Amino acid sequence: MNIIHPWKIQLGHFNLATDFGIDVNELNNEVFMLNNMATDEDIDQKFLDPELIPILMHTRDQIITPKVCEYSNEVFEYDITGRYEVETNAKWIPEGEGLFPHYHPGSCISAIVYPSDSVSGLNMFDPRVNACRGYPKEIRDKFFSTVKITPRAGDVYIFPSYIQHSVSYVKEDVRLSLLHEYYL
């Protein structure tokens, strides 16, 4: 019998510090500054000044975006080079709060950057919603379980924007992340 995997979902992962030598402490400072410049926590920060946040802009334009293009080529067999718009937003979540399950409507590919370690997990949910109904726990745990990621400083995760995800309750003072949304 041939087994076909029609709903194979792939996440991309690399680390800015270990793979590219980026100073994540400086990146963390720029992400914090970017977040503080916003008047609203979720404001779209499209117009980024490379003079104010040079490390952030360099990593987005010279490292992350080419990796997103590589991801699109490998996963979707589609070259997005020159066919996208990117929006970048800093996100902070204070201690004791979390982020409910959500996805990023409108964009096609998301890249989340972690400028510092976070013990608060990123939870990625199976996009097949009710596919696990009726299966015993052993099968649910093996084939339908939530993917739990504990981000380390410099980690970047690339995934299709339709993947529902959440953030566990934050245990540190503040959890910073940087989100790049790619629209085709």
Side-chain angles (χ1 to χ4, degrees):
M1 166 185 0
N2 290 326
I3 302 295
I4 301 168
H5 296 276
W7 293 287
K8 186 175 180 183
I9 308 300
Q10 296 151 320
L11 304 178
H13 172 254
F14 60 93
N15 188 284
L16 292 169
T18 58
D19 298 336
F20 294 95
I22 298 297
D23 183 338
V24 292
N25 290 323
E26 289 299 319
L27 178 63
N28 189 51
N29 291 339
E30 287 186 10
V31 172
F32 190 74
M33 181 176 63
L34 177 63
N35 188 71
N36 285 336
M37 290 188 313
T39 56
D40 179 13
E41 184 179 343
D42 291 323
I43 192 168
D44 176 24
Q45 300 157 4
K46 276 187 187 178
F47 305 104
L48 305 175
D49 185 345
E51 291 184 19
L52 289 175
I53 46 177
I55 296 169
L56 188 153
M57 296 301 291
H58 169 77
T59 58
R60 185 192 75 182
D61 296 340
Q62 303 301 315
I63 298 172
I64 296 167
T65 294
K67 287 291 189 184
V68 167
C69 291
E70 180 183 328
Y71 173 87
S72 180
N73 282 329
E74 288 182 26
V75 172
F76 301 120
E77 299 173 4
Y78 186 78
D79 185 6
I80 66 168
T81 305
R83 301 178 185 187
Y84 63 84
E85 287 186 30
V86 62
E87 291 182 3
T88 298
N89 293 287
K91 180 76 174 168
W92 70 345
I93 304 172
E95 182 180 13
E97 292 187 20
L99 195 56
F100 58 88
H102 67 284
Y103 63 97
H104 301 151
S107 64
C108 292
I109 299 173
S110 299
I112 298 179
V113 181
Y114 294 93
S116 58
D117 290 350
S118 177
V119 294
S120 307
L122 171 65
N123 307 301
M124 308 286 276
F125 301 103
D126 188 327
R128 298 169 293 175
V129 188
N130 291 321
C132 67
R133 285 188 64 185
Y135 290 99
K137 184 177 179 353
E138 298 81 19
I139 293 175
R140 286 193 320 267
D141 288 350
K142 184 172 181 177
F143 294 101
F144 305 106
S145 66
T146 298
V147 174
K148 296 180 188 255
I149 297 168
T150 303
R152 309 309 287 155
D155 277 349
V156 178
Y157 290 93
I158 302 170
F159 57 94
S161 298
Y162 67 81
I163 299 294
Q164 193 176 53
H165 54 283
S166 70
V167 176
S168 302
Y169 288 105
V170 173
K171 296 175 182 140
E172 54 263 37
D173 289 340
V174 66
R175 179 185 180 272
L176 287 174
S177 62
L178 187 64
L179 178 62
H180 303 294
E181 294 292 338
Y182 292 82
Y183 295 84
L184 301 183

